[in-house]
Amino acid sequence: MVLSEEARDLLADLPAHRRQTFELRLQQWGPDLLDAVTALYSAPDDVASALVTVAARGFAARSDELHRLDERRLLQPDWFQRPNMFGYACYVDRYAKTLKGLGDRLDHLTDLGVTYLHMMPLLKPRPGDNDGGYAVMDFSSVREDLGTNEDLAQLAATLRSRGISPVVDLVLNHVAREHDWVVAARAGDAKYRDYFLIYPDRDTPDRFERTLPEVFPDFAPGSFTEVDGEWVWTTFNEWQWDLNWANPAVLLEFAEVVVHLANLGIEVLRLDAIAFLWKRLGTNCQNQPEVHAVTQALRATCRLTAPATLFKAEAIVGPRDLMPYLGEGRHAGRVSDIAYHNSLMVHVWSMLASGSTDLARHALAGLPPTPPGGTWVTYVRCHDDIGWAIDDSDASARGVTGVGHRQFLADWYSGEFDGSWAEGLVFQHNRETGDRRISGTAAALTGLGPSRKDPAGGFARIFLAHAVVAAWGGIPVVWSGDEIGSPGDPEWASEDGHSADNRWVHRPRMTDADRARRHEQGSDAQRVFDGVAHIARVRAGLPMLHSEAPTRVLTDADIDDGLLVVQRRHPSGTLVGVFNVTADHRPLARARLADLGSVDVREVLSGHDLAEHGLHDPGGTLWVPPYAAWWIV
Ligand code: GLC
């Protein structure tokens, strides 16, 4: 690869050991970079050379401390796959008003066992409604009310010193319509018009819309918006303009942003809405192969500057489309290191509502194994609604219909179904498909909602759900408020710009008083917090929960339909997770635990001796109590 003059000058000015480091990285990741841009653009050598220049600039500017972090991470390439990883996600303002405020309130997180902190979008958004910060108008500065770039770098350093990896969003599918690029495009600047997808009339938009699903059918129908007599691609809201990733200039802009954030000390970049990046006529314009080439190009650039910084794909897509985000085929080991396990989340809720693990076992066991260098973010709830991503072919393989089961789940979690304990809100009722997504906190969806329909069951289900996702492999991430059993924000609709978007119901503000409630013995907050913290603590000491230990879902027909049984085999031993998703006792043949041997078998979550349930009777049957979550090692 030919280095630009600027890159050569930059490297020549570095001390010899630094220069050699960069050269070695170029040998390692340069081919990935070139390969990716060759798949995307007509002048790949120029694009590759420009990306290397961006990386060299970032490398030269990177602080000594962060260079040291790079070395440390390269020596521990599995750092994010280890069982001590435990995540938390929050809006900085809603958790602690400012970045400084957050830095002063870390005890709550360290007590929970947090080692990974996703701070929701914090770069300067458009004024007014901005989709929770996902409409960015300036990638170079932090939201003014939260603080400055220096505050962010300072917070990252503090987090690092407390063993917590900072995570922030990289919103790369779209920008706010107030962004300078849009302003220049609207003023007629040809360079910037080519950053977006702008059509003179409805002809092309109509052809695309024949196969495009709607993301926000309620408050932002369609995928195009009429602006100044033309039609602009706006997948999400009309004030979020989709970028034209077929233009290499867009890639170069984002390479700068990646390097900038990495040099502030951000350790994981969440690639927001990554599935939508590349558009192709006649498709749903999601998961196109070029998306993975774009990711590979950005990742290789980032590795050159900051190998400590990883990528996490936010691709909320069906199970079949999900695996390529962790790298398949030519992109194996070259794209995102982490991806959201949306299917697991959906099936946790599906199992709890139906009291059956049949469909979940089939769907989850059918997923290909996670690639060795990658891992999941597993979660019970996040800041978004839950879309019932039940695969039609999975459903019909188990004798139900996808549409019928999705209908049932929406009825159940909106509380409309007779006997439901849930108090969710319907989000984006799509009248064409009948789909109804659901908003609500974990507490509201399990029985511990505002009217406390079933508190005892609620606690059990919250603990069970977290125990399932924490046993899976990956980084379990707790959504802010769920760790204290928040029923949700009753005032969500009264905040400026929020009234049409009920996802705000599960994005409660947290005060010091809310956080202090976890010390009040017997309160919901204390019971939930201690339960979740306990899971994190136990997990950290179990090598079988390292991501590299494969997750095997047992599908044997003789296992009771109310039980989910999962096995994690590791050289240090085997862990079997047994989860009862029903309110009854369910039988489990002792022989199912044969792998464990019978000496010194322990259930490590409760610390209880399972002998009383018949564990030490090889021919016997265990009776698994209602909603029990057992991690047996
Ligand atoms: C992601 C975010 C969601 C947002 C969307 C558009 O899916 O999680 O909150 O609305 O992207 O940026």
Side-chain angles (χ1 to χ4, degrees), residues 210-400:
R210 257 172 242 145
T211 51
L212 274 178
E214 285 182 305
V215 179
F216 294 143
D218 268 6
F219 53 62
S223 296
F224 298 86
T225 302
E226 190 173 8
V227 184
D228 311 327
E230 297 179 298
W231 290 87
V232 178
W233 199 310
T234 55
T235 300
F236 294 88
N237 289 288
E238 58 180 41
W239 30 260
Q240 286 163 305
W241 283 38
D242 284 45
L243 287 155
N244 173 19
W245 279 87
N247 176 359
V250 169
L251 175 71
L252 285 168
E253 296 276 10
F254 276 88
E256 303 266 8
V257 180
V258 165
V259 164
H260 166 70
L261 292 171
N263 277 353
L264 290 176
I266 304 307
E267 294 183 38
V268 179
L269 292 173
R270 174 188 181 275
L271 308 182
D272 177 62
I274 180 82
F276 294 86
L277 241 54
W278 201 273
K279 326 291 187 195
R280 174 167 284 116
L281 198 62
T283 71
N284 64 358
C285 296
Q286 291 184 41
N287 315 311
Q288 297 302 308
E290 289 84 353
V291 165
H292 307 298
V294 166
T295 310
Q296 180 171 320
L298 286 175
R299 179 191 190 260
T301 308
C302 184
R303 293 270 143 150
L304 295 176
T305 303
T309 299
L310 303 184
F311 282 5
K312 169 175 65 161
E314 191 247 350
I316 307 304
V317 300
R320 306 276 177 280
D321 292 316
L322 190 54
M323 296 313 289
Y325 288 91
L326 284 179
E328 267 187 357
R330 62 192 292 197
H331 300 297
R334 299 189 165 86
V335 284
S336 290
D337 310 275
I338 309 172
Y340 282 84
H341 204 328
N342 182 56
S343 289
L344 176 61
M345 184 275 293
V346 166
H347 280 288
V348 165
W349 292 108
S350 166
M351 288 187 287
L352 287 173
S354 62
S356 163
T357 64
D358 187 56
L359 177 59
R361 282 186 211 172
H362 173 81
L364 295 168
L367 282 177
T370 319
T375 200
W376 300 113
V377 153
T378 63
Y379 58 115
V380 173
R381 288 293 293 113
C382 71
H383 69 288
D384 277 327
D385 53 288
I386 307 177
W388 302 112
I390 299 289
D391 193 81
D392 285 335
S393 58
D394 285 337
S396 59
R398 303 317 297 165
V400 288

Side-chain angles (χ1 to χ4, degrees), residues 23-340:
E23 286 163 0
L24 284 170
R25 290 186 193 167
L26 203 53
Q27 279 169 27
Q28 175 67 24
W29 291 301
D32 287 3
L33 201 158
L34 192 56
D35 172 56
V37 294
T38 304
L40 294 169
Y41 306 115
S42 56
D45 292 324
D46 298 348
V47 181
S49 154
L51 287 173
V52 174
T53 307
V54 172
R57 232 184 276 137
F59 182 80
R62 193 156 168 87
S63 71
D64 286 345
E65 198 196 334
L66 291 174
H67 277 301
R68 219 169 16 249
L69 179 69
D70 291 329
E71 292 309 312
R72 208 162 65 227
R73 296 308 194 205
L74 288 169
L75 291 171
Q76 307 176 331
D78 68 335
W79 67 274
F80 61 102
Q81 299 178 304
R82 297 183 179 192
N84 69 314
M85 291 303 290
F86 200 80
Y88 188 83
C90 66
Y91 289 96
V92 174
D93 57 325
R94 301 178 92 74
Y95 182 86
K97 298 206 166 66
T98 62
L99 292 163
K100 281 208 179 83
L102 177 58
D104 293 337
R105 287 167 180 76
L106 295 179
D107 289 348
H108 182 79
L109 301 182
T110 45
D111 288 356
L112 191 62
V114 170
T115 57
Y116 164 112
L117 177 62
H118 173 200
M119 295 171 279
M120 295 292 292
L122 44 68
L123 301 182
K124 189 175 174 185
R126 72 188 293 266
D129 190 3
N130 52 43
D131 189 20
Y134 286 105
V136 179
M137 67 177 280
D138 179 3
F139 291 98
S140 65
S141 55
V142 165
R143 234 174 86 174
E144 271 153 33
D145 58 320
L146 300 182
T148 60
N149 280 335
E150 290 67 43
D151 293 337
L152 181 56
Q154 181 55 53
L155 175 62
T158 307
L159 289 169
R160 221 164 27 246
S161 72
R162 299 192 56 165
I164 302 176
S165 295
V167 183
V168 307
D169 280 88
L170 181 68
V171 186
L172 34 63
N173 178 67
H174 43 259
V175 297
R177 108 182 136 202
E178 289 73 11
H179 193 291
D180 282 348
W181 302 338
V182 177
V183 175
R186 291 184 68 176
D189 186 327
K191 172 179 170 196
Y192 289 102
R193 280 178 62 86
D194 198 27
Y195 277 36
F196 301 98
L197 298 152
I198 305 173
Y199 305 96
D201 52 44
R202 281 287 322 179
D203 185 47
T204 307
D206 282 343
R207 286 196 291 141
F208 271 109
E209 278 193 340
R210 257 172 242 145
T211 51
L212 274 178
E214 285 182 305
V215 179
F216 294 143
D218 268 6
F219 53 62
S223 296
F224 298 86
T225 302
E226 190 173 8
V227 184
D228 311 327
E230 297 179 298
W231 290 87
V232 178
W233 199 310
T234 55
T235 300
F236 294 88
N237 289 288
E238 58 180 41
W239 30 260
Q240 286 163 305
W241 283 38
D242 284 45
L243 287 155
N244 173 19
W245 279 87
N247 176 359
V250 169
L251 175 71
L252 285 168
E253 296 276 10
F254 276 88
E256 303 266 8
V257 180
V258 165
V259 164
H260 166 70
L261 292 171
N263 277 353
L264 290 176
I266 304 307
E267 294 183 38
V268 179
L269 292 173
R270 174 188 181 275
L271 308 182
D272 177 62
I274 180 82
F276 294 86
L277 241 54
W278 201 273
K279 326 291 187 195
R280 174 167 284 116
L281 198 62
T283 71
N284 64 358
C285 296
Q286 291 184 41
N287 315 311
Q288 297 302 308
E290 289 84 353
V291 165
H292 307 298
V294 166
T295 310
Q296 180 171 320
L298 286 175
R299 179 191 190 260
T301 308
C302 184
R303 293 270 143 150
L304 295 176
T305 303
T309 299
L310 303 184
F311 282 5
K312 169 175 65 161
E314 191 247 350
I316 307 304
V317 300
R320 306 276 177 280
D321 292 316
L322 190 54
M323 296 313 289
Y325 288 91
L326 284 179
E328 267 187 357
R330 62 192 292 197
H331 300 297
R334 299 189 165 86
V335 284
S336 290
D337 310 275
I338 309 172
Y340 282 84

